[in-house]
Amino acid sequence: MHDQPLTPELFTWEFAADPYPAYAWLREHEPVRRTRLPSGVEAWLVTRYADAKQTLADNRLSKNPAHHDEPAHAKGRTGIPGERQAELMTHLLNIDPPDHTRLRRLVSKAFTPRRVAEFAPRVQELTDGLIDRFADRGSADLIHEFAFPLPIYAICDLLGVPREDQDDFRDWAGMMIRHGGGPRGGVARSVKKMRGYLAELIHRKREALPAEPTPGEDLISGLIRASDHGEHLTENEAAAMAFILLFAGFETTVNLIGNGTYALLTHPGQRDRLQRSLAAGEHGLLETGVEELLRYDGPVELATWRFATEPVTIGGQRIAAGDPVLVVLAAADRDPERFADPDTLDLGRRDNQHLGYGHGIHYCLGAPLARLEGRTALATLLTRLPDLRLAAEPAELRWRGGLIMRGLRTLPVEFTPPQK
């Protein structure tokens, strides 16, 4: 009989590199566990798939930090970095119905499958343009030169940020990502600049808005039009909305492309399988493959904060009103009770109801766009740079320290420059 192993240490650098063994231990021994986070806040971690799914859809768990029972000084530790100083509290990630329902209905018009399909050629053009910049060199850092700029430029195009302003956005976003786990001052300044810029852009677009929408109208114009037609979206809400789409739609996609490419480069059999399928002009394996990469090592490790509005029982554990609850998507998506061989990467996996985009009313709105960007990025990389390989040992790579997101700081690669 083995002694019960010691509780694994969470949130260390070693844990950041590979949290999955620790999550497997928690799923088995303490599936709903109260844990002190690096910020000092205590929260419940939910690690089993069935419990996670129930928690994500439970309306007794509110997204609004006002329900947190911590003293006021601790509340600032449970949101997106810098958002409080920037009056960013009204956005989709931390509001509940009915406001959530109203705002979500407005924004969902931008992410219809048809709208995303119309955007596909632009995503392909951006992807090729970024690869063109480093293809002749035979080496690149795929995070900074590819995974990072692609979603920024894509979401800027979708929002309607003029091309000449998009590099400013890239710089602000870089500040936000670089300081994700560190000093908050730089983040707050970037958030403030971005918010100020968006408020001004909304004002300029409102002045120049044509009477009738044009085909493929940008998202900010659509938000203005909706709010001018009785949906009553204030300028502050519109700016907060544009910001959260940028925030939610950007770092997640950086990590989807980064983690996904890394997983393919470290699983040569699966990568060959995908390359053969793409060479044959098939797209089925690419589609199931992106879902599997999201499940296997997805960009969002923990779902965003929820707060119990009344006592709740999750997985047999009683949780008091006011307690914060964090669903560990990365643990739930490798639960052997739900997925066969969960630690195996299988790009053709069919039964794959992963929680990478959440579940319930906060299910990720931008999922169709993220899927499009992920598929386009991975397919184009593998097709244009067929012998792409890691230029560092996996143990040398550093993962970003932070709570919610999971992503690499750098991804150095080498390849044979394509023949002109």
Side-chain angles (χ1 to χ4, degrees):
M1 182 72 188
H2 291 294
D3 288 335
Q4 185 164 319
L6 287 173
T7 311
E9 247 194 296
L10 305 181
F11 312 121
T12 61
W13 287 109
E14 293 75 17
F15 170 84
D18 182 11
Y20 296 102
Y23 288 149
W25 189 95
L26 286 178
R27 265 195 319 265
E28 193 174 336
H29 300 286
E30 287 189 72
V32 182
R33 178 188 175 193
R34 194 170 170 97
T35 308
R36 182 175 289 277
L37 304 174
S39 64
V41 174
E42 292 210 341
W44 292 94
L45 297 183
V46 178
T47 49
R48 285 183 183 166
Y49 183 90
D51 295 338
K53 203 165 174 181
Q54 174 209 322
T55 305
L56 291 171
D58 191 327
N59 59 12
R60 293 170 302 174
L61 292 162
S62 165
K63 301 286 280 189
N64 190 337
H67 292 291
H68 191 186
D69 72 348
E70 284 275 333
H73 69 85
K75 287 194 193 299
R77 298 178 181 151
T78 57
I80 287 171
E83 70 180 337
R84 277 187 180 62
Q85 303 90 310
E87 296 133 27
L88 237 187
M89 286 309 296
T90 40
H91 59 55
L92 284 176
L93 289 186
N94 60 13
I95 54 171
D96 302 318
D99 285 342
H100 176 269
T101 317
R102 171 179 69 93
L103 292 176
R104 188 176 169 107
R105 190 174 61 240
L106 277 178
V107 182
S108 62
K109 294 170 184 164
F111 292 109
T112 60
R114 199 188 84 212
R115 186 75 192 270
V116 170
E118 285 169 2
F119 200 51
R122 178 64 187 139
V123 172
Q124 185 65 60
E125 187 187 329
L126 285 168
T127 304
D128 281 318
L130 289 168
I131 294 175
D132 288 345
R133 293 182 192 179
F134 58 75
D136 293 343
R137 218 169 56 221
S139 67
D141 171 8
L142 284 185
I143 301 297
H144 290 275
E145 298 181 75
F146 185 66
F148 175 81
L150 178 62
I152 277 283
Y153 292 141
I155 203 92
C156 280
D157 276 359
L158 203 66
L159 284 171
V161 174
R163 298 270 160 95
E164 62 272 18
D165 296 341
Q166 293 188 1
D167 285 329
D168 285 343
F169 257 82
R170 189 182 162 159
D171 294 344
W172 296 330
M175 278 295 291
M176 280 158 46
I177 230 182
R178 273 195 293 280
H179 294 292
R184 292 293 168 90
V187 176
R189 273 197 304 280
S190 298
V191 169
K192 211 170 187 138
K193 284 181 177 163
M194 212 177 254
R195 273 299 302 276
Y197 172 83
L198 286 167
E200 189 189 316
L201 183 64
I202 287 167
H203 189 74
R204 287 210 313 264
K205 283 186 183 281
R206 181 169 260 144
E207 303 285 282
L209 200 67
E212 288 304 313
T214 52
E217 181 172 72
D218 67 73
L219 179 50
I220 288 180
S221 301
L223 285 174
I224 295 167
R225 202 176 287 287
S227 55
D228 288 349
H229 284 101
E231 287 279 8
H232 306 305
L233 190 67
T234 66
E235 271 194 17
N236 209 26
E237 279 181 328
M241 205 61 154
F243 174 85
I244 198 57
L245 290 172
L246 189 96
F247 192 94
F250 143 65
E251 194 174 351
T252 47
T253 311
V254 177
N255 295 347
L256 165 59
I257 297 168
N259 300 6
T261 305
Y262 174 69
L264 291 172
L265 295 181
T266 49
H267 292 79
Q270 293 295 310
R271 173 249 183 93
D272 291 348
R273 185 180 170 196
L274 181 55
Q275 277 179 307
R276 285 198 303 273
S277 159
L278 291 169
E282 299 158 6
H283 283 89
L285 191 64
L286 178 65
E287 288 181 17
T288 56
V290 166
E291 299 311 304
E292 174 68 347
L293 292 167
L294 279 160
R295 182 200 71 79
Y296 178 79
D297 197 10
V300 184
E301 193 165 332
L302 284 80
T304 46
W305 294 80
R306 285 167 166 75
F307 305 94
T309 56
E310 58 185 79
V312 208
T313 300
I314 301 171
Q317 184 73 55
R318 192 170 162 79
I319 289 168
D323 277 4
V325 177
L326 288 166
V327 175
V328 187
L329 303 177
D333 279 344
R334 291 211 190 183
D335 187 340
E337 294 287 306
R338 177 61 189 81
F339 299 100
D341 302 318
D343 295 320
T344 301
L345 181 70
D346 172 11
L347 298 183
R349 190 183 289 269
R350 289 268 169 234
D351 176 21
N352 194 359
Q353 297 288 310
H354 64 78
L355 299 175
Y357 291 121
H359 172 69
I361 62 165
H362 288 278
Y363 180 81
C364 173
L365 251 181
L369 180 62
R371 287 187 168 110
L372 169 68
E373 290 176 355
R375 288 172 193 165
T376 308
L378 293 171
T380 311
L381 274 179
L382 292 179
T383 305
R384 289 190 54 184
L385 310 173
D387 66 347
L388 191 68
R389 57 198 174 269
L390 275 178
E393 289 301 315
E396 293 167 15
L397 296 177
R398 287 285 163 264
W399 294 79
R400 244 189 305 281
L403 200 58
I404 302 291
M405 302 287 188
R406 172 164 172 77
L408 286 160
R409 289 171 180 266
T410 58
L411 183 55
V413 293
E414 296 168 338
F415 47 87
T416 306
Q419 294 298 306
K420 281 279 188 284

